Protein backbone atom coordinates (compact mmCIF):
# COMPACT_ATOMS: atom_id res chain seq x y z
CA UNK A 1 0.00 0.00 0.00
CA UNK A 2 1.05 3.59 -0.57
CA UNK A 3 2.91 5.10 2.38
CA UNK A 4 4.43 8.52 2.91
CA UNK A 5 6.36 9.09 6.13
CA UNK A 6 7.68 12.52 7.02
CA UNK A 7 10.50 13.21 9.42
CA UNK A 8 12.85 15.99 10.40
CA UNK A 9 10.51 18.28 12.27
CA UNK A 10 11.27 19.74 15.66
CA UNK A 11 11.85 22.93 17.59
CA UNK A 12 14.16 25.40 15.88
CA UNK A 13 15.15 29.01 16.47
CA UNK A 14 14.11 31.73 14.05
CA UNK A 15 16.71 32.30 11.38
CA UNK A 16 17.96 28.73 11.51
CA UNK A 17 17.56 25.91 8.97
CA UNK A 18 15.85 22.54 8.92
CA UNK A 19 15.49 19.77 6.37
CA UNK A 20 12.39 17.64 6.18
CA UNK A 21 12.29 14.23 4.53
CA UNK A 22 9.41 12.16 3.20
CA UNK A 23 10.18 8.52 2.61
CA UNK A 24 7.70 6.82 0.31
CA UNK A 25 6.81 3.24 -0.54
CA UNK A 26 4.16 1.21 -2.30
CA UNK A 27 4.25 3.03 -5.63
CA UNK A 28 6.63 4.08 -8.41
CA UNK A 29 7.93 7.28 -6.84
CA UNK A 30 9.65 8.48 -10.02
CA UNK A 31 6.32 8.63 -11.85
CA UNK A 32 4.61 11.16 -9.60
CA UNK A 33 4.89 14.82 -8.82
CA UNK A 34 5.17 15.49 -5.10
CA UNK A 35 4.10 18.35 -2.89
CA UNK A 36 4.63 19.84 0.53
CA UNK A 37 1.57 21.30 2.23
CA UNK A 38 1.58 22.87 5.68
CA UNK A 39 -0.98 23.69 8.33
CA UNK A 40 -0.35 26.17 11.11
CA UNK A 41 -1.92 25.28 14.47
CA UNK A 42 -5.68 25.76 14.26
CA UNK A 43 -5.47 27.10 10.71
CA UNK A 44 -6.23 25.89 7.21
CA UNK A 45 -4.12 24.16 4.60
CA UNK A 46 -1.38 26.09 2.83
CA UNK A 47 0.42 24.71 -0.19
CA UNK A 48 4.20 25.11 0.04
CA UNK A 49 5.84 23.64 -3.04
CA UNK A 50 5.67 21.07 -5.83
CA UNK A 51 8.32 19.19 -7.72
CA UNK A 52 7.76 17.44 -11.01
CA UNK A 53 8.11 13.65 -11.23
CA UNK A 54 11.58 13.97 -12.77
CA UNK A 55 12.65 16.91 -10.63
CA UNK A 56 12.92 19.27 -13.61
CA UNK A 57 10.36 21.79 -12.42
CA UNK A 58 9.60 23.24 -9.01
CA UNK A 59 7.10 25.88 -7.95
CA UNK A 60 6.80 27.60 -4.59
CA UNK A 61 4.28 29.57 -2.59
CA UNK A 62 5.18 33.24 -2.38
CA UNK A 63 5.56 32.93 1.40
CA UNK A 64 8.50 30.53 1.10
CA UNK A 65 10.05 31.36 -2.27
CA UNK A 66 13.75 32.07 -1.92
CA UNK A 67 13.93 30.44 1.52
CA UNK A 68 12.69 26.87 0.93
CA UNK A 69 13.93 24.33 -1.61
CA UNK A 70 12.04 21.22 -2.63
CA UNK A 71 14.04 18.31 -4.04
CA UNK A 72 13.79 14.58 -4.54
CA UNK A 73 15.97 11.52 -4.87
CA UNK A 74 14.18 9.04 -7.10
CA UNK A 75 16.76 6.38 -6.32
CA UNK A 76 15.80 6.60 -2.64
CA UNK A 77 12.04 7.22 -3.14
CA UNK A 78 12.46 10.26 -0.95
CA UNK A 79 11.20 13.85 -1.07
CA UNK A 80 12.94 16.69 0.76
CA UNK A 81 12.22 20.22 1.90
CA UNK A 82 15.18 22.36 2.83
CA UNK A 83 13.97 25.27 4.93
CA UNK A 84 16.30 28.21 5.51
CA UNK A 85 15.87 31.55 7.27
CA UNK A 86 12.96 30.16 9.24
CA UNK A 87 10.41 32.55 10.68
CA UNK A 88 7.84 32.28 13.45
CA UNK A 89 5.09 32.07 10.84
CA UNK A 90 6.62 28.87 9.45
CA UNK A 91 5.40 27.02 12.56
CA UNK A 92 3.13 24.29 11.20
CA UNK A 93 2.58 20.63 10.56
CA UNK A 94 4.25 19.86 7.24
CA UNK A 95 2.66 17.18 5.07
CA UNK A 96 4.09 15.58 1.99
CA UNK A 97 1.48 14.61 -0.56
CA UNK A 98 1.45 12.74 -3.83
CA UNK A 99 0.00 14.28 -6.95
CA UNK A 100 -2.94 12.25 -8.18
CA UNK A 101 -1.85 11.78 -11.80
CA UNK A 102 1.34 10.30 -13.12
CA UNK A 103 3.71 12.34 -15.25
CA UNK A 104 1.31 15.25 -15.39
CA UNK A 105 1.60 18.72 -13.94
CA UNK A 106 -0.30 19.64 -10.81
CA UNK A 107 -3.63 18.08 -10.07
CA UNK A 108 -4.95 16.93 -6.70
CA UNK A 109 -3.39 15.17 -3.75
CA UNK A 110 -4.39 11.54 -3.51
CA UNK A 111 -2.12 10.38 -0.70
CA UNK A 112 -0.81 12.31 2.29
CA UNK A 113 1.64 11.55 5.01
CA UNK A 114 0.77 12.02 8.67
CA UNK A 115 2.85 15.17 8.90
CA UNK A 116 5.80 16.41 10.89
CA UNK A 117 5.56 19.38 13.25
CA UNK A 118 7.96 22.28 12.89
CA UNK A 119 7.94 24.75 15.76
CA UNK A 120 9.78 28.04 15.71
CA UNK A 121 10.80 29.20 19.15
CA UNK A 122 13.57 31.35 20.51
CA UNK B 1 -3.48 35.80 -7.04
CA UNK B 2 -6.47 33.50 -7.31
CA UNK B 3 -8.76 33.37 -4.29
CA UNK B 4 -11.17 30.64 -3.22
CA UNK B 5 -13.98 31.62 -0.84
CA UNK B 6 -15.68 29.10 1.43
CA UNK B 7 -18.23 29.66 4.20
CA UNK B 8 -16.57 29.17 7.60
CA UNK B 9 -19.25 26.79 8.77
CA UNK B 10 -22.18 24.71 7.62
CA UNK B 11 -24.57 22.91 9.96
CA UNK B 12 -26.95 20.13 8.99
CA UNK B 13 -29.14 17.58 10.73
CA UNK B 14 -28.43 13.89 10.28
CA UNK B 15 -30.09 12.49 7.19
CA UNK B 16 -30.33 15.87 5.50
CA UNK B 17 -28.26 17.31 2.66
CA UNK B 18 -25.21 19.50 3.18
CA UNK B 19 -23.92 21.80 0.48
CA UNK B 20 -20.49 23.36 0.83
CA UNK B 21 -19.62 26.05 -1.66
CA UNK B 22 -16.32 27.26 -3.04
CA UNK B 23 -16.33 30.56 -4.88
CA UNK B 24 -13.74 31.79 -7.35
CA UNK B 25 -13.56 33.93 -10.45
CA UNK B 26 -14.70 31.76 -13.39
CA UNK B 27 -13.98 28.71 -11.30
CA UNK B 28 -15.89 26.62 -13.83
CA UNK B 29 -12.77 26.85 -16.00
CA UNK B 30 -10.69 25.10 -13.37
CA UNK B 31 -10.71 21.60 -11.97
CA UNK B 32 -11.85 21.75 -8.37
CA UNK B 33 -10.80 19.21 -5.77
CA UNK B 34 -12.23 18.65 -2.28
CA UNK B 35 -10.72 17.25 0.90
CA UNK B 36 -12.04 16.50 4.31
CA UNK B 37 -9.93 16.57 7.42
CA UNK B 38 -10.84 15.26 10.84
CA UNK B 39 -9.06 16.46 13.99
CA UNK B 40 -5.52 15.17 14.27
CA UNK B 41 -5.62 13.48 10.89
CA UNK B 42 -4.23 14.21 7.45
CA UNK B 43 -6.61 15.47 4.76
CA UNK B 44 -8.35 12.95 2.52
CA UNK B 45 -9.52 13.66 -1.02
CA UNK B 46 -13.28 13.19 -1.36
CA UNK B 47 -13.82 14.62 -4.84
CA UNK B 48 -11.49 15.49 -7.69
CA UNK B 49 -11.92 17.27 -10.97
CA UNK B 50 -15.28 18.67 -9.91
CA UNK B 51 -17.27 15.44 -9.68
CA UNK B 52 -15.00 12.40 -9.71
CA UNK B 53 -15.26 10.35 -6.55
CA UNK B 54 -12.20 8.38 -5.34
CA UNK B 55 -12.69 4.75 -4.50
CA UNK B 56 -13.90 4.34 -0.96
CA UNK B 57 -15.83 7.61 -0.88
CA UNK B 58 -19.57 6.97 -0.55
CA UNK B 59 -21.94 7.78 -3.39
CA UNK B 60 -23.59 10.24 -1.00
CA UNK B 61 -20.77 12.63 -1.96
CA UNK B 62 -21.14 14.52 -5.24
CA UNK B 63 -19.71 17.64 -6.80
CA UNK B 64 -20.55 20.31 -9.30
CA UNK B 65 -18.87 23.36 -10.77
CA UNK B 66 -20.55 26.15 -12.69
CA UNK B 67 -19.94 29.83 -13.19
CA UNK B 68 -18.17 31.22 -10.17
CA UNK B 69 -19.14 28.49 -7.70
CA UNK B 70 -18.18 24.89 -7.11
CA UNK B 71 -20.26 22.85 -4.71
CA UNK B 72 -19.65 19.70 -2.70
CA UNK B 73 -22.93 18.03 -1.84
CA UNK B 74 -23.26 15.42 0.87
CA UNK B 75 -26.60 13.61 0.90
CA UNK B 76 -28.03 11.73 3.87
CA UNK B 77 -25.44 13.26 6.15
CA UNK B 78 -24.05 11.07 8.92
CA UNK B 79 -22.29 11.97 12.14
CA UNK B 80 -19.06 10.62 10.66
CA UNK B 81 -19.13 13.30 7.94
CA UNK B 82 -18.36 15.98 10.52
CA UNK B 83 -15.01 17.45 9.50
CA UNK B 84 -13.30 20.44 7.95
CA UNK B 85 -13.73 20.56 4.18
CA UNK B 86 -11.31 22.32 1.84
CA UNK B 87 -11.56 23.07 -1.86
CA UNK B 88 -8.42 23.32 -4.00
CA UNK B 89 -7.46 24.33 -7.52
CA UNK B 90 -4.33 24.76 -9.58
CA UNK B 91 -3.94 28.32 -10.76
CA UNK B 92 -1.92 28.04 -13.96
CA UNK B 93 -1.57 31.80 -14.30
CA UNK B 94 0.52 31.97 -11.12
CA UNK B 95 1.76 28.36 -11.00
CA UNK B 96 0.32 28.08 -7.51
CA UNK B 97 -1.91 25.58 -5.77
CA UNK B 98 -4.72 27.43 -4.02
CA UNK B 99 -6.78 26.16 -1.09
CA UNK B 100 -9.96 27.63 0.23
CA UNK B 101 -9.91 28.62 3.90
CA UNK B 102 -12.01 25.63 4.83
CA UNK B 103 -15.55 24.95 5.99
CA UNK B 104 -16.37 23.26 9.25
CA UNK B 105 -19.26 20.87 8.75
CA UNK B 106 -21.22 20.31 11.93
CA UNK B 107 -23.77 17.52 12.16
CA UNK B 108 -26.42 18.62 14.61
Amino acid sequence: QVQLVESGGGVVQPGRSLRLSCVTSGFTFSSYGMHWVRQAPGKGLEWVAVIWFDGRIQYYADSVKGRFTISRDNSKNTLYLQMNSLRAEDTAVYYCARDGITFGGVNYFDYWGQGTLVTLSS
Amino acid sequence: SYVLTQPPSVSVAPGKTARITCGGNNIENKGVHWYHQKPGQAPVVVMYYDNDRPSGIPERFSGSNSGNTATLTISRVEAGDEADYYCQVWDSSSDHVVFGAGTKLTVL
Side-chain angles (χ1 to χ4, degrees), chain A residues 50-70:
Chain A
V50 60
I51 186 167
W52 251 233
F53 64 96
D54 57 1
R56 288 186 302 113
I57 296 173
Q58 306 91 38
Y59 294 122
Y60 297 90
D62 293 345
S63 57
V64 306
K65 193 171 185 178
R67 300 187 299 123
F68 290 12
T69 301
I70 188 172

Side-chain angles (χ1 to χ4, degrees), chain B residues 15-46:
Chain B
K16 300 299 186 183
T17 298
R19 294 179 180 84
I20 301 172
T21 58
C22 177
N25 187 39
N26 293 321
I27 197 172
E28 67 179 355
N29 295 327
K30 299 183 182 299
V32 179
H33 318 299
W34 292 91
Y35 305 86
H36 72 192
Q37 184 182 33
K38 298 182 180 180
Q41 298 183 17
V44 173
V45 61
V46 296

Side-chain angles (χ1 to χ4, degrees), chain A residues 3-17:
Chain A
Q3 288 193 314
L4 295 81
V5 180
E6 303 95 336
S7 63
V11 180
V12 60
Q13 292 179 326
R16 303 298 290 265
S17 298

Side-chain angles (χ1 to χ4, degrees), chain B residues 32-105:
Chain B
V32 179
H33 318 299
W34 292 91
Y35 305 86
H36 72 192
Q37 184 182 33
K38 298 182 180 180
Q41 298 183 17
V44 173
V45 61
V46 296
M47 197 67 56
Y48 62 95
Y49 282 111
D50 300 339
N51 54 16
D52 282 331
R53 208 170 359 92
S55 60
I57 300 301
E59 291 182 8
R60 301 183 296 104
F61 286 73
S62 62
S64 63
N65 186 5
S66 178
N68 294 316
T69 304
T71 303
L72 178 70
T73 300
I74 309 172
S75 304
R76 302 181 300 282
V77 166
E78 302 174 356
D81 297 329
E82 193 164 275
D84 293 325
Y85 288 79
Y86 296 91
C87 57
Q88 174 250 313
V89 300
W90 168 247
D91 179 29
S92 57
S93 64
S94 63
D95 292 327
H96 280 38
V97 170
V98 181
F99 283 102
T103 298
K104 182 175 181 58
L105 176 66

